[in-house]
Amino acid sequence: MDVFCGIDWAEGHHDVALVDDTGKLLAKCRINDDLEGYRLLLDLLAEHGDSADPGAAPVLANVIRTDAPVHRPLPADTDLAQVVAVLARAQQDAVWNRQQVANQLRSLLREYFPAMIEAFKDKPGTLTRPDARRILAVAPTPALAAKLQMWKLTAMLKRAGRRRGIETDAERIQQLFRQEAPRQLPLVEDAMGKQAQALLLQLDAACQAVDDLARATEEAVRSHPDAAIMLSFPGIGCQVGARILGETGDDRSRFATAGGLKAYAGSAPVTRASGKRRYVGRRFVKNNRLNHVGHLWAFASLSGSSGADADYRRRRAGGDWHMQALRHLFNRMPGQLHHCLLARVPFDEATAFPPGAAKPQPASS
């Protein structure tokens, strides 16, 4: 006799029900979200015990009983793939958190210290840079920043890891800090400076978390058997590769076809037809993390693959705007990755983008 288990998952407790292949309720209970609760679940599965059962657990169990073919089993990912998933997601969340705190700090600085924003607006990382954070920690107000001497600015840039153009940049920053500009009242300015220092502490912690998790993620992904194949693709470095591996896993039976992987990533378009009308548009139901990193992958591949760059330019010449052309390029890449991982071969430029094989395409939706 087949037995089906449904679990109505909640934060503090879970409702569990077991039914047989005729739909008869065999067991039901509510378990807590702790070790004792999971032990009770195991006992229930082993002995078919019974207890009170509110909620939708019997319905969920019967869904699996009647419609099992339309539901995928959980992927059998290896322990290492699950480690990569945990670290990659944590690192991505840390990046987003860092940007959120940096945006809060930038919004505050606009109100009383815009010269600080101006000093680093054209630098990669802007306010998250070590040199920007070091200077702001020492001079959190315009009054203190205007008093900074060249030797001190130079020393701070060096301690932040700068190696080139230090004197020139220190002079530029000093001039910005000493320019006349609208100012808050002195006491208000001091209060805002204290608020900026509080945000700066959060930003420092967020930046440290990003760096620590990036190192741990790189170590984990490089030890995975799929790393050499994934890192052979243009546009995939350790962090991008870790996010792709973390979201797709390493159970190669999970996606029977490349089309399944493309749909999961949200790169495959959706086609709707009714009578003479036909619409091709982007997919909204997808793995958002994988879709996000997929666009980073596609954009980065433009500088690492002549074929990817040519494909992108052909789409633009055919009328696609930037994101349409990039989305089309992204749609090709999961298929290439799917093939290489199954065949256990690295990326090959000539195979992925055969010379003369592609022709200009009309613009897509």
Side-chain angles (χ1 to χ4, degrees), residues 112-126:
Y112 83 103
F113 194 4
M116 187 67 201
I117 301 174
E118 183 70 20
F120 295 95
K121 69 174 186 178
D122 296 326
K123 302 286 187 181
T126 59

Side-chain angles (χ1 to χ4, degrees), residues 70-85:
V70 299
H71 295 278
R72 288 183 177 271
L74 290 174
D77 293 329
T78 64
D79 292 353
L80 184 54
Q82 295 178 57
V83 168
V84 172

Side-chain angles (χ1 to χ4, degrees), residues 77-225:
D77 293 329
T78 64
D79 292 353
L80 184 54
Q82 295 178 57
V83 168
V84 172
V86 169
L87 292 173
R89 290 170 185 171
Q91 200 273 340
Q92 187 176 35
D93 288 343
V95 170
W96 289 340
N97 180 60
R98 179 184 65 183
Q99 190 58 51
Q100 184 179 40
V101 177
N103 289 343
Q104 291 178 318
L105 179 59
R106 183 182 184 278
S107 179
L108 174 63
L109 291 172
R110 285 183 68 252
E111 295 184 30
Y112 83 103
F113 194 4
M116 187 67 201
I117 301 174
E118 183 70 20
F120 295 95
K121 69 174 186 178
D122 296 326
K123 302 286 187 181
T126 59
L127 293 176
T128 66
R129 296 169 55 87
D131 48 356
R133 289 184 282 124
R134 185 175 289 274
I135 290 174
L136 185 58
V138 173
T141 65
L144 291 173
K147 298 176 182 178
L148 288 175
Q149 300 296 319
M150 274 291 295
W151 68 267
K152 191 161 189 176
L153 278 169
T154 301
M156 285 191 288
L157 292 178
K158 289 180 178 178
R159 284 197 294 270
R162 293 283 298 275
R163 293 292 180 268
R164 297 178 181 176
I166 294 176
E167 297 290 340
T168 302
D169 218 24
E171 184 177 354
R172 178 186 64 84
I173 293 171
Q174 186 185 58
Q175 290 176 354
L176 280 171
F177 287 168
R178 293 183 176 182
Q179 285 179 355
E180 290 188 7
R183 296 273 292 272
Q184 297 282 350
L185 295 172
L187 291 178
V188 175
E189 186 176 278
D190 289 343
M192 288 182 163
K194 289 181 173 61
Q195 184 182 0
Q197 287 180 313
L199 285 172
L200 186 60
L201 289 175
Q202 297 178 47
L203 184 59
D204 287 339
C207 291
Q208 186 64 51
V210 168
D211 293 342
D212 291 346
L213 287 167
R215 286 190 292 269
T217 302
E218 180 173 351
E219 181 180 350
V221 76
R222 286 192 180 278
S223 62
H224 194 279

